[in-house]
Amino acid sequence: MVRPLPPCLQKIAIEELNEDPARVDDDIQALKTWINQQPHLRARTDDQFLLSFLRGCKYSLEKAKSKIDKYYMLRSKFPELFSLRDVDSPNILEIIKLGVGLVLPTPLNETGPRILLIRNGCYDPNKCNFADIMRVAQACNEILMWEDDYAIVNGFIHIMDLKDWTKQHFFQVSPSLMKKMAVYSEEAMPLRPKSSHCINAPSIFESLFNMMKPMMSEKQVNRMIIYGSNLEKMYSKIPQKYLPKEYGGENGSIPDIIAHWEKKYLEYREYFLDDAKFGTDEHLRPGKPIDFENLFGMEGSFRKLNVD
């Protein structure tokens, strides 16, 4: 059983994502059959979960299969980045309470893409491990995959606030880590980023961003827009009313959003623990083994994974 879409989203799913309501059950069943035939893959087969991948891949079964495989492969290989288990641990709860990543309550234009506000400089890089911040962020994405039809159908917009962001923050992220993040975001997640808007960007950020470009796909680079402290240009794309109250908008307050999501993470406590039983066993993967060292090591070139 899958959750019915509001009419405004169902129309978009049909017109833009190639969704045929009469075929949804068959497409989900096709993914279940494929998963059960993979000796190396232990994946969730819940209808709503698989539907997120179908919609995120515009109903290309082959792309959905590839994303599901990469999703579990990367989470198994790099759990320190992509798999949150210990939501109750003090360091994880501290990151959640800081509100580094905030899912704003109202989508753009009321029914459009979900807006994610990332406050890159709001944590102390001497106290917080960036890997833990990544795990919290990916757990948030997983909750969105289950619950947020606006994010699944319309994708999402990133607003990255670089206020108080320093070189110490940047140097927490190695080139190897940037490669893993970029591949996971584009090749494994069914959530579709529409654009990224960097606000309050310090002068050094552009030169550092140029260092990051080789780690990103052309599509990811083209989606990013960098602003200084004058946000008027951004308001033509994201009206100010869709920002939180602290930014002069009407889209919730930061303390309320943090409190809501702290409760949400804790509601998923058992889910995250249960998630440990899913993943891939690369020793059982048919065909040629994946060369992780070459794909993601410091010396490896940035290449897309090809997983059938």
Side-chain angles (χ1 to χ4, degrees):
M1 245 344 244
V2 297
R3 181 175 57 248
L5 289 174
C8 63
L9 290 182
Q10 185 64 78
K11 184 174 185 293
I12 293 169
I14 292 170
E15 294 177 355
E16 298 183 16
L17 304 184
N18 305 315
E19 183 162 305
D20 179 353
R23 283 193 49 82
V24 167
D25 289 344
D26 289 341
D27 289 334
I28 291 173
Q29 186 56 50
L31 285 183
K32 290 181 181 181
T33 300
W34 174 80
I35 288 169
N36 290 331
Q37 292 171 344
Q38 306 310 305
H40 67 292
L41 179 62
R42 304 179 308 279
R44 290 187 180 274
T45 55
D46 308 74
D47 289 1
Q48 195 71 47
F49 182 77
L50 297 179
L51 183 57
S52 294
F53 283 91
L54 286 168
R55 286 174 172 159
C57 297
K58 297 186 177 181
Y59 279 84
S60 164
L61 281 173
E62 294 312 305
K63 287 182 180 178
K65 292 173 186 177
S66 179
K67 274 197 188 262
I68 291 169
D69 197 340
K70 292 169 187 175
Y71 176 83
Y72 282 110
M73 177 183 69
L74 295 176
R75 287 160 65 90
S76 295
K77 182 66 177 176
F78 306 112
E80 71 280 5
L81 291 175
F82 304 127
S83 296
L84 182 67
R85 302 282 179 259
D86 49 344
V87 71
D88 288 311
S89 68
N91 59 319
I92 295 298
L93 283 175
E94 180 181 355
I95 291 169
I96 291 170
K97 290 176 179 178
L98 281 172
V100 180
L102 302 172
V103 181
L104 304 190
T106 303
L108 183 65
N109 301 323
E110 311 301 319
T111 60
R114 181 63 66 189
I115 304 169
L116 274 61
L117 173 63
I118 313 299
R119 302 191 299 157
N120 301 63
C122 81
Y123 71 94
D124 184 343
N126 296 310
K127 293 181 179 179
C128 292
N129 184 325
F130 185 77
D132 286 340
I133 290 172
M134 278 298 300
R135 290 198 295 138
V136 171
Q138 297 312 321
C140 175
N141 286 338
E142 189 158 4
I143 293 171
L144 293 177
M145 285 167 54
W146 280 97
E147 297 191 3
D148 193 337
D149 293 323
Y150 291 98
I152 291 294
V153 174
N154 285 327
F156 62 89
I157 291 171
H158 275 135
I159 300 174
M160 293 189 286
D161 186 354
L162 294 162
K163 180 183 178 183
D164 300 326
W165 181 88
T166 66
K167 284 188 285 187
Q168 284 70 35
H169 288 93
F170 176 80
F171 288 126
Q172 279 194 325
V173 187
S174 67
S176 177
L177 180 53
M178 280 190 271
K179 292 178 184 180
K180 292 165 189 160
M181 289 164 53
V183 170
Y184 186 82
S185 172
E186 184 149 351
E187 299 292 319
M189 287 300 295
L191 297 173
R192 296 176 299 119
K194 293 297 185 71
S195 59
S196 294
H197 304 262
C198 300
I199 63 175
N200 297 316
S203 56
I204 192 175
F205 179 76
E206 193 152 0
S207 59
L208 293 175
F209 174 57
N210 288 332
M211 292 171 56
M212 294 166 59
K213 285 182 180 179
M215 319 298 171
M216 303 166 68
S217 71
E218 183 179 356
K219 189 184 293 185
Q220 288 172 319
V221 171
N222 291 339
R223 286 179 181 140
M224 186 168 287
I225 307 169
I226 301 172
Y227 307 89
S229 57
N230 185 344
L231 306 185
E232 294 297 326
K233 288 184 179 178
M234 187 181 75
Y235 295 155
S236 65
K237 298 177 175 64
I238 306 172
Q240 188 176 11
K241 66 176 285 190
Y242 292 104
L243 300 180
K245 292 176 182 176
E246 290 80 358
Y247 290 74
E250 304 168 13
N251 204 355
S253 70
I254 287 174
D256 287 348
I257 297 168
I258 291 173
H260 170 80
W261 274 89
E262 181 181 357
K263 181 180 177 183
K264 181 70 69 179
Y265 280 109
L266 292 175
E267 287 173 355
Y268 272 75
R269 179 193 293 110
E270 296 304 318
Y271 172 88
F272 292 136
L273 288 171
D274 182 62
D275 214 41
K277 68 187 181 188
F278 300 105
T280 61
D281 183 342
E282 294 305 317
H283 294 99
L284 299 177
R285 179 182 291 278
K288 187 178 178 181
I290 293 171
D291 186 351
F292 287 101
E293 193 63 34
N294 191 37
L295 285 167
F296 295 105
M298 291 288 288
E299 304 302 321
S301 60
F302 178 72
R303 292 178 293 167
K304 289 188 176 182
L305 300 174
N306 290 310
V307 181
D308 293 322

